[in-house]
Amino acid sequence: MDTRKGKVMAEKYQGPNRREEQWHLDKKVPISLIFAIVIQTVTITWFFADLSNKVEVNAKAIVEQDISRRRMWDQIKDQERIIGGLDTKIAAIDERTSGIKDSVDRLLTLFLKDREK
């Protein structure tokens, strides 16, 4: 009898009158199945909400990292400019030191010549 009922149901939803029949829930559907579907729906919604939140947090972190990276590059450029100025100052100090060394060498030479006399 069950197979015949299945055929009747199949025939009922075919043909030109199929849209006139309304869909309904059979009383034989277990409450546990309905509960499981509700739980799955809630779980999936929760999962995607959490996923969306994580994506948003990561997007903010990426923006913050980009700002931090740009700030670091600006600091590196400033340090390169400062180091370039220090190189110029060191070169000037090196020239003065060479001049002082030459003067000391000349004085030492004159002192030794004067001492030999």
Side-chain angles (χ1 to χ4, degrees):
M1 179 147 183
D2 288 337
T3 58
R4 183 178 167 158
K5 187 176 181 182
K7 286 182 184 179
V8 170
M9 291 293 287
E11 291 172 3
K12 188 175 181 182
Y13 289 104
Q14 292 179 357
N17 297 332
R18 69 183 164 96
R19 293 190 185 225
E20 293 176 9
E21 297 293 327
Q22 292 184 356
W23 183 89
H24 65 280
L25 187 61
D26 190 4
K27 291 182 182 179
K28 295 179 184 177
V29 176
I31 192 82
S32 60
L33 178 64
I34 295 171
F35 183 71
I37 291 172
V38 168
I39 292 297
Q40 283 180 341
T41 305
V42 169
T43 303
I44 288 171
T45 304
W46 190 352
F47 170 76
F48 281 114
D50 188 47
L51 183 65
S52 175
N53 184 39
K54 287 179 182 179
V55 167
E56 189 176 317
V57 167
N58 284 336
K60 287 179 183 178
I62 288 170
V63 169
E64 289 174 5
Q65 289 293 325
D66 187 50
I67 292 169
S68 176
R69 183 186 54 85
R70 289 176 194 236
R71 192 176 316 126
M72 286 172 48
W73 278 111
D74 291 342
Q75 290 174 350
I76 288 171
K77 288 177 185 176
D78 289 344
Q79 289 175 355
E80 287 175 345
R81 184 181 44 79
I82 291 169
I83 288 172
L86 289 175
D87 285 343
T88 305
K89 289 179 181 179
I90 288 173
I93 290 171
D94 191 35
E95 286 180 29
R96 286 189 215 138
T97 305
S98 293
I100 292 172
K101 180 187 169 280
D102 292 341
S103 296
V104 169
D105 285 345
R106 275 184 278 154
L107 282 174
L108 185 60
T109 305
L110 288 173
F111 177 74
L112 290 175
K113 282 184 184 178
D114 189 42
R115 201 168 171 201
E116 290 175 359
K117 289 184 183 179

